[in-house]
Amino acid sequence: MPRGVTPRQPSRSGRQDKVSSRPLPTTVKVRRVAPVVKTADKVVAPMAARRAAPKKFATKTTAATVKGYNPLARERVGEILKRLDERYPRATCALHHKSAWELLVATILSAQCTDARVNMVTPVIFAKYPTVEAFAALKPEGLEPDIRSTGFFRNKSKSVVGAARKLMSDFGGQVPRTMDELLQIPGVARKTANVVLGTWFKIADGVVVDTHVQRISRRLELTKNDDPQKIEQDLMKVIPRDKWIIFAHQIIMHGRALCIARKPKCVDCPLENLCHAADKTWSTVEIHKSAKP
Ligand code: SF4
């Protein structure tokens, strides 16, 4: 017998398929058989074994094909938060500051720049211009040389001097404590406002969405959106309010330490068996196309 040819087996009913074109009587029960879905081995090996094991991926699939899987399930989100607490218990803002004003300036300067670089620049400018009034009295060009190394220095100079003038003219020289007021300040959008409100005033009015929060929230399927404002709204729905501030700090630390943009260090990640991201570098669970980088 040629290879690959299997003799046809007689049907159990004794009839061959499609012998009759008559519809089944309504009393006949048709048993539905669930399609076989290959699932990966979910057993998490000890770390040493995991490191030694070759890279392996489970069959690609989408979240919708995994029966009963809900990335936003309270238990799953709770487990993510628990593991983040264990891994980053003292997560906080990495920008050095001694006042709300210093934090506001540092956050404006941190756009497209590392916190380490900003932390080199801010002590110099705060020594040179120790008050909000001193910044407000500057021309933007006067600040440019001091902040040049943070990049986009012309726009940042305008924002910092503009912010100082706004505080002097409208807020008595003080950084306001509400989102609406903060958003009136030049150079301040929701991310900066959330940093100042959460880190300095301990007010949870939203979730800081920077590049790390944006990337990792998508990898963890906490959002499907690209737009930071929509991501923030999604996170505010699934993260309990009392976690909004620390969650962002933890995710930012996680993004720097392990869940980096290129080649995340999944083998060392405490969230590994909860994460189905399409660009994981190592996985013990199914990969979901919907969990995009
Ligand atoms: S498993 Fe990998 S992709 Fe997922 S959160 Fe951890 S480091 Fe990021």
Side-chain angles (χ1 to χ4, degrees), residues 101-118:
W101 167 245
E102 289 192 5
L103 180 57
L104 179 62
V105 173
T107 310
I108 291 172
L109 297 183
S110 71
Q112 307 289 317
C113 181
T114 65
D115 289 354
R117 167 61 57 189
V118 173

Side-chain angles (χ1 to χ4, degrees), residues 50 84 215-216 219-220 251 254-255 257-260 263-283 285 291:
R50 291 167 67 191
L84 288 172
R215 179 178 70 255
I216 298 170
R219 280 177 169 163
L220 290 173
I251 290 289
H254 188 53
L258 296 173
C259 195
I260 48 186
K263 290 199 179 178
K265 300 173 183 172
C266 305
V267 72
D268 293 325
C269 177
L271 307 176
E272 193 284 314
N273 66 344
L274 296 170
C275 174
H276 304 263
D279 61 342
K280 282 177 84 174
T281 54
W282 196 90
S283 191
V285 292

Side-chain angles (χ1 to χ4, degrees), residues 81-127:
L81 298 178
K82 181 171 152 260
R83 294 188 198 180
L84 288 172
D85 280 346
E86 287 164 4
R87 186 71 175 228
Y88 310 105
R90 282 178 290 281
T92 188
C93 181
L95 294 168
H96 298 167
H97 60 278
K98 298 192 200 88
S99 66
W101 167 245
E102 289 192 5
L103 180 57
L104 179 62
V105 173
T107 310
I108 291 172
L109 297 183
S110 71
Q112 307 289 317
C113 181
T114 65
D115 289 354
R117 167 61 57 189
V118 173
N119 288 339
M120 285 185 226
V121 167
T122 45
V124 177
I125 60 172
F126 293 135

